[in-house]
């Protein structure tokens, strides 16, 4: 890609924690569609460094300890703001998000402030407990925000970078993604959803049920 007016026009923000087996592949698949990739190593203990290409388009930021997905997202989004990007794309490092969809997000974000990937909870391979969790949190957030929240837990998102300063998360865990939705709605930013494939291999999610529930309740009460 060549954006002479701004070499950081589109930044991908990818937090990771012990994703040795997929990190190289997600970077490879994402590179053709963005100007920069911001990788946030959230205290990984595996041997990940040889999975990151030596490439001027890839920036690595490391947390000394595992602080949580919300903290890693905040670090990456702050870097995207610093780089004066136009669009910030967040996606997970475990290959559950297809980077080939990034151009669609980029095209559609011109009409919105934030786009969130919406997965099919019914006709898909999404594990039943994840379907139930997503349905419940999406329904509760819809009631809280008065917006129809179609997928509260999807991490595949596009933001106009200029709005990020107003919605950066303060929670450090997975609940940060719900917190950002609440802040978006409170600020009356333009939010929409875009269909994306539901990709699940082994459901080795790092989201632990009890901390996630506690965190979500705090978001509902305090945000």
């Amino acid at each position: 890609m060549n954006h002479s007016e701004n070499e950081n026009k589109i930044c991908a923000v990818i937090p990771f924690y012990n994703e040795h087996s997929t990190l190289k592949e997600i970077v490879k698949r994402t590179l053709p569609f963005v100007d920069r990739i911001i990788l946030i190593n959230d205290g990984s203990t595996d041997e990940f460094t040889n999975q990151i290409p030596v490439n001027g388009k890839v920036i690595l930021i490391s947390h000394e300890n595992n602080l949580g997905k919300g903290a890693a997202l905040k670090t990456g989004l702050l870097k995207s703001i610093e780089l004066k990007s136009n669009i910030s794309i967040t996606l997970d490092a475990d290959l559950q998000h297809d980077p080939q969809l990034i151009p669609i997000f980029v095209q559609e974000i011109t009409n919105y402030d934030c786009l969130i990937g919406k997965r099919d909870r019914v006709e898909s391979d999404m594990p039943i407990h994840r379907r139930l969790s997503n349905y419940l949190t999406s329904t509760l957030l819809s009631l809280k925000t008065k917006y129809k929240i179609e997928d509260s837990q999807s991490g595949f998102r596009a933001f106009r970078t200029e709005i990020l300063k107003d919605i950066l998360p303060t929670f450090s865990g997975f609940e940060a993604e719900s917190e950002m939705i609440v802040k978006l709605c409170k600020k009356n930013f333009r939010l929409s959803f875009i269909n994306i494939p539901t990709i699940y291999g082994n459901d080795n999610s790092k989201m632990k049920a009890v901390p996630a529930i506690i965190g979500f309740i705090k978001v509902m009460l305090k945000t």
Side-chain angles (χ1 to χ4, degrees):
M1 299 181 67
N2 181 21
H3 300 291
S4 56
E5 74 282 5
N6 181 355
E7 65 178 6
N8 304 313
K9 182 176 181 181
I10 304 169
C11 284
V13 174
I14 307 178
F16 70 92
Y17 174 64
N18 291 343
E19 302 287 0
H20 171 271
S21 62
T22 56
L23 189 58
K24 183 176 182 179
E25 187 66 20
I26 191 65
V27 171
K28 176 183 175 183
R29 293 187 193 180
T30 303
L31 274 172
F33 304 110
V34 300
D35 299 293
R36 288 289 181 96
I37 294 178
I38 303 167
L39 295 174
I40 307 92
N41 161 38
D42 190 32
S44 294
T45 57
D46 60 1
E47 294 294 328
F48 69 87
T49 52
N50 62 348
Q51 301 300 311
I52 299 176
V54 178
N55 186 311
K57 292 175 65 174
V58 179
I59 298 170
L60 174 65
I61 304 172
S62 289
H63 291 169
E64 184 175 347
N65 300 307
N66 180 232
L67 302 180
K69 187 178 184 183
L73 279 173
K74 184 175 183 178
T75 295
L77 293 172
L78 282 170
K79 186 64 177 180
S80 187
I81 293 171
E82 178 188 325
L83 292 172
K84 296 181 169 59
S85 69
N86 293 346
I87 299 169
S88 301
I89 308 282
T90 63
L91 63 163
D92 295 344
D94 58 5
L95 298 179
Q96 290 189 13
H97 301 148
D98 185 354
Q100 291 190 79
L101 298 175
I102 289 175
I104 299 175
F105 277 85
V106 170
Q107 179 181 346
E108 294 297 322
I109 195 66
T110 57
N111 299 312
Y112 301 100
D113 297 303
C114 174
L115 277 177
I116 298 178
K118 173 194 173 186
R119 298 161 295 178
D120 187 338
R121 288 195 296 262
V122 179
E123 296 183 10
S124 73
D125 294 328
M126 184 183 292
I128 186 65
H129 65 285
R130 297 295 296 274
R131 293 188 203 185
L132 179 60
S133 170
N134 197 350
Y135 172 76
L136 289 173
T137 56
S138 297
T139 299
L140 291 171
L141 282 176
S142 296
L143 291 171
K144 180 177 177 65
T145 62
K146 306 296 192 295
Y147 282 69
K148 183 172 176 54
I149 307 303
E150 300 185 50
D151 190 336
S152 67
Q153 296 179 350
S154 172
F156 201 174
R157 303 179 177 190
F159 302 90
R160 287 195 306 111
T161 303
E162 66 188 72
I163 75 158
L164 287 174
K165 64 183 185 300
D166 293 317
I167 63 167
L168 288 171
T170 58
F171 288 89
S172 60
F174 287 94
E175 69 276 5
E177 290 171 322
S178 294
E179 179 192 5
M180 293 181 76
I181 290 176
V182 174
K183 288 183 173 181
L184 276 161
C185 296
K186 282 190 171 183
K187 293 284 186 178
N188 292 317
F189 287 128
R190 297 166 298 168
L191 170 64
S192 190
F193 294 82
I194 184 170
N195 291 327
I196 62 171
T198 308
I199 304 171
Y200 273 92
N202 295 323
D203 184 31
N204 294 321
S205 172
K206 296 178 177 65
M207 182 187 295
K208 304 304 179 185
V210 173
I213 291 169
I214 293 172
F216 181 76
I217 292 171
K218 288 181 178 178
V219 167
M220 294 292 290
L221 295 175
K222 297 182 178 182
T223 305

